[in-house]
Amino acid sequence: MRISDLLPSVLIGAVASARSMTPMAALAGAHLAHRRTPGRLWLLGKPLFTAGALAMGAGELYGDKMKSAPDRTVFLGLLARVMSAGIAGAALAPRGRERAGAAVAVGTAVPMAYLTLSARKRAMAEIGQTRSGLIEDALIVAAGVAVVWWGVARDR
């Protein structure tokens, strides 16, 4: 296996650093489009998981704009990133390398959560919470969709 085989897992970890539920929502969207992930992810076969992932992804986008939204680096925020990155990283890894995919995704998501938070705080100071959040949403959702679609296309 080449290290580049785990690149989709690394990239989805970067996505999870900024929006914890976007990787799961992007995977759910790919599942609804009848795309299979290279790594095994039995959760995707469950309609409740798919619906929940999409709902949580949308809810996170809304909740992030609230003044009371906690920083992504609080314990529960990091825990959500670890779980989402791990699941998505495993799903985008080559079959049989799911654990490695999960590990590199989590290893990317956690430190990058601090970097993306720092960037967001700078953007908030410049253009405000809502506008900076909407821009971050657009970038991260687009990146999440692109990474998942590229990851599932590589398996074909």
Side-chain angles (χ1 to χ4, degrees):
M1 181 182 81
R2 299 178 316 263
I3 191 69
S4 62
D5 292 340
L6 294 176
L7 188 56
S9 298
V10 170
L11 295 174
I12 207 65
V15 168
S17 76
R19 291 290 178 274
S20 61
M21 295 298 117
T22 296
M24 304 311 300
L27 284 172
H31 175 70
L32 289 174
H34 305 289
R35 298 294 186 118
R36 296 176 58 94
T37 59
R40 299 213 277 178
L41 183 61
W42 65 270
L43 288 172
L44 279 178
K46 309 292 182 195
L48 184 61
F49 173 81
T50 300
L54 291 170
M56 290 178 72
E60 181 182 35
L61 296 178
Y62 172 76
D64 178 64
K65 311 312 168 292
M66 299 172 70
K67 297 274 186 222
S68 61
D71 286 347
R72 60 193 74 177
T73 57
V74 300
F75 175 75
L76 290 177
L78 287 175
L79 180 62
R81 280 157 179 72
V82 165
M83 293 171 56
S84 178
I87 293 168
L92 295 176
R95 179 106 3 152
R97 302 296 296 166
E98 291 91 348
R99 287 184 181 177
V104 298
V106 170
T108 301
V110 172
M112 281 202 62
Y114 291 90
L115 294 174
T116 59
L117 175 61
S118 176
R120 174 70 186 279
K121 285 183 174 182
R122 285 193 310 274
M124 285 172 51
E126 291 286 323
I127 61 174
Q129 183 173 1
T130 301
R131 192 179 318 169
S132 66
L134 291 172
I135 291 168
E136 188 178 38
D137 287 348
L139 293 171
I140 296 304
V141 169
V145 169
V147 168
V148 167
W149 283 85
W150 176 54
V152 298
R154 289 170 43 122
D155 192 43
R156 294 184 176 260

